Amino acid sequence: MRGNAADLELRRPASLEEALELLAQDPELKVLAGGTELLVRHEDGSLGPARLLDLSALKELKQIRRVGDELEIGAGVCYADIQAHPDVIARLPLLVQAAEQTGARAIQERGTLGGNVANASPAADSVPVLLALGVGLLLRSRTAERRLPLDEFFLDYRRTALRPDELITALRLPLTPPPLQYFRKVGTRRAQAISKVALAAAGRWTARGLECRVALASVAPVPLRCRELEAFLAVEAGRGDWKERAARQLMDGLRPIDDIRSTAAYRRQVAGNLLLAFLRRAEAGRPGQDGR
Amino acid sequence: MRVELEPLPAVLDLRQAMAEERADVHPLGPVVKEIRIAKGDPEPVWSRAAHVVEDEVESGAQEQLYIEPQGMIAWAGPEFVTVTGSLQCPYYVQHGLCAVFGLPAEQVRVIQAVTGGGFGGKEEYPTVLAVHAALLALKAGRPVKMVYDRAEDLAATPKRHPSRTLSRAAFDHDGRLLALDVDFNLDAGAYVTLTPVVLSRGALHAAGPYRCDHVRVRARAWATNTPPHGAFRGFGAPQSCLAIERLLDKAAAQLGLDPAELRLRNLLQSGDTTATGQVMREEIDLTGLVETALELSDYRCLRAEFARANAVAGPEDPRRGVGLAVFLHGAGFTGSGEKRLASRAGLELDGQGVVQVLAASTEIGQGAATVFQQITCGALGVTHEQVRVAQPDTAHVPDSGPTVASRTTMVVGGLVERAALALRAALVADGLAADADPAAVARALRERGRSHGGERWIESYQQPDWVVWDEENYRGDAYPTFAWAAYVAQLAVDPLTGETRVEEFTAVQDIGRVVNPLLAAGQIEGGVAQGIGFALLEDVRWQAGRMANNRLSTYIIPTALDLPRIRAHFRETPAGYGPAGAKGVGELPLDGTAPAVLAALDQALGARLARVPALPEQILPLLTPEATHA
């Protein structure tokens, strides 16, 4: 049964302060940013009657600017604007890749980075990249502002640390991310696809091993950061068959599911293969003995 | 009211249907239709042949995915029913409405609305929706519009029949095909629909374009409890062409021959007979066709190059393959079908001298209207301003038969051409010079229109006398003519993900005279795209007999990025019996694309897949060394 527009009540505040005030008064309000998730649920009837808080008029959420050694991307910035921004192009190529591979061009013009994070889909395309880059979220309510590392944001399937009266206002990314970077989305086809598996990684060699962040989409109830694997690589990278052991460790620890898009076995194997692809590149990029 | 439901054990797929042979699934039994074709006697051959090859191939359901979902508007009263909607076959809908409402044909009017593709999906089902809408309109006393949303459309409407083929072939030492035994099975679903006819075309294509003296084909359609399967571009032939081509690829490997070489040794020639004993009267140059495809695609060089490169490929290097399929497609209705249809089409001259093409054959994006206009202009000797194509409306156009079976240009186009030639002869009798230029013909038409406004020129189809078909025993001329083709797919498989990318596709075919090169190439390109979807992506996921992936985000068809450059090349042997020797083209590309893709995968993987769609989930394990297996 399709949704009925008459069942929707829309609030469209003109400022962030007004939005936070409305949310404080009515924490049941559903936040509408690009609408690429909510309007699909409205169309198929699963949203039902709802009160919506439409953030589309808030210019303060649509800015990209430098703050110290970080780049601040407003939560309302869409994928198309991310792809076009000179600082993102020059310094965060992984994010450009993720934005290019999200939906069709029309979706890229509507969908927002903040919405992608808040929606907390385990298949979100941009989130593994954001986790690998070590993003901090700026969260605001009427009375308080706090900064939360992205990897502490996802609690369980579609459940987040966002409080009912809070909005994500911006994402903070390092302007100088680590030099070794990898992203690969494996979708159901080459465009306009939802991911079966995606892996993003960013890191650098240290005297002990490989210091990196590795994150995966579509293999767990949440976008997954692989901390045990990272700990292994930090000390074992470069020793013996370390790449194969790392892949084995990753695959053994994953509990993906069979669903409409793929199988658990495929997801586990591809996650291992993509990790190996990253590690082979990392190995090739390791400073030689002479260069140390 | 109290309803008690007791769930009974259901039969949900072909394997289960064939294993359990349950009689309670359908009143006709577990098998709703069986066809046997016999030629010679294969039995003694198996024991004395140098090589015997056995194979099993499966294919899944495929959704037509026309642009707009099924939709119909109906007006109805005690004395009339009128409907308009998205449909391929106005007179099929009229026939269904007449039966349900007990009205004579004059009181039932069906008008085709603009239709964005059909692929067989708008052949049968629009009748169901028209009946539903018209019954509601009658009850309500108001017009009723019914439009399915995509999820409803995907859940309810018939798709391509899933298939399972078990086959066996015997060869001599030189790789010559001695005997062939094909056990061809389709999943009919819960109702019979067009299944018997689909099964028939599948059975008639089961031996491929190969000469063989001893053939057995046993074709069966099995009842299951899923939504029914039905017409889809190719109509059973894609399933059986896939099976015979897979069998030949397996045989080539077993005999140590290149797959192309094995085919070249067994191609049907003029004068040979098919499995039904049909003598190939027409000129056939399958060897030339295959050689053209091999040359244009550089098959032989690529084959050697990929074999070398795959042997030394690193862990992330793509594994490449190139594969060939050779196939045929019977043009028009099977057997006596065209004789029974006795299609009628023609022209009407209006008072201003404008000629209207009258046919119930529908424009559904394939270019029928353009082709009719072009044929008429050519035969009359006028420019296009002088010719219109009437909207298919049963109140206005004669029954030219359904827009199916690749018959529109060949059969109906032939009638339109004859009508145009008759009108031209009438103009000449009026005094038009034989070498008149288009402006002079237009003047003559205006003159004749003034005195004869509303005059009609209608032609009726007559099957050639030499077409003799024995429906009882499946012997004789199954089709008056065939289109022939050789396709080559070139692809790369990503060893990290098992994803296949078709990189080049060469489609060489003989469809007789090409009436409109641009539209014909469009048919090939679209058909190859749909065939690549069938081969690699399109996977109807059944859960308890329902289609679970009933959205465009989960039922995956190829986008432009998933498709290669498609090179369509025509070799014209004007041996067809359509306008100036044209044959059918619409369905042909669906028959050979999937087998060419799977043959290329054989080489890329060094292993064989026997089911379509060949998904990354099935391909990846073939590429992954045991050591890192999950």
Side-chain angles (χ1 to χ4, degrees), chain B residues 556-593:
Chain B
I556 301 300
I557 65 166
T559 66
L561 279 187
D562 299 286
L563 295 170
R565 179 175 66 152
I566 298 164
R567 189 165 21 183
H569 180 87
F570 297 94
R571 275 171 64 100
E572 297 185 70
T573 312
Y577 70 171
K583 300 174 179 178
V585 59
E587 296 171 285
L588 177 76
L590 259 297
D591 295 358
T593 300

Side-chain angles (χ1 to χ4, degrees), chain A residues 58-133:
Chain A
L58 307 187
K59 291 201 169 56
E60 51 266 63
L61 298 187
K62 293 180 181 171
Q63 288 164 5
I64 301 178
R65 58 181 186 133
R66 289 185 182 209
V67 180
D69 58 357
E70 290 187 320
L71 190 68
E72 183 176 296
I73 301 181
V77 171
C78 69
Y79 301 105
D81 289 345
I82 288 168
Q83 291 170 52
H85 195 274
D87 273 344
V88 182
I89 293 168
R91 292 171 173 269
L92 302 167
L94 285 197
L95 194 55
V96 176
Q97 275 183 50
E100 283 172 348
Q101 293 179 37
T102 301
R105 185 68 198 183
I107 297 295
Q108 293 169 13
E109 294 282 351
R110 304 275 322 174
T112 67
L113 209 52
N116 203 216
V117 170
N119 188 45
S121 162
D125 290 320
S126 68
V127 173
V129 166
L130 298 175
L131 283 169
L133 293 174

Side-chain angles (χ1 to χ4, degrees), chain A residues 85-207:
Chain A
H85 195 274
D87 273 344
V88 182
I89 293 168
R91 292 171 173 269
L92 302 167
L94 285 197
L95 194 55
V96 176
Q97 275 183 50
E100 283 172 348
Q101 293 179 37
T102 301
R105 185 68 198 183
I107 297 295
Q108 293 169 13
E109 294 282 351
R110 304 275 322 174
T112 67
L113 209 52
N116 203 216
V117 170
N119 188 45
S121 162
D125 290 320
S126 68
V127 173
V129 166
L130 298 175
L131 283 169
L133 293 174
V135 162
L137 297 178
L138 300 187
L139 310 177
R140 262 182 73 179
S141 68
R142 186 181 53 179
T143 52
E145 182 167 18
R146 59 177 175 141
R147 178 171 173 147
L148 188 73
L150 180 61
D151 52 13
E152 293 172 24
F153 183 73
F154 303 108
L155 304 178
D156 202 345
Y157 180 67
R158 301 263 182 177
R159 210 162 64 75
T160 71
L162 193 69
R163 294 172 189 144
D165 63 345
E166 277 181 330
L167 288 175
I168 303 174
T169 57
L171 297 86
R172 290 275 183 92
L173 293 90
L175 266 171
T176 312
L180 305 166
Q181 297 183 17
Y182 181 82
F183 174 65
R184 174 92 188 257
K185 169 181 169 176
V186 179
T188 48
R189 63 185 158 207
R190 299 184 72 85
Q192 302 198 37
I194 300 174
S195 72
K196 294 175 174 179
V197 192
L199 182 143
R204 62 170 56 84
W205 287 99
T206 67

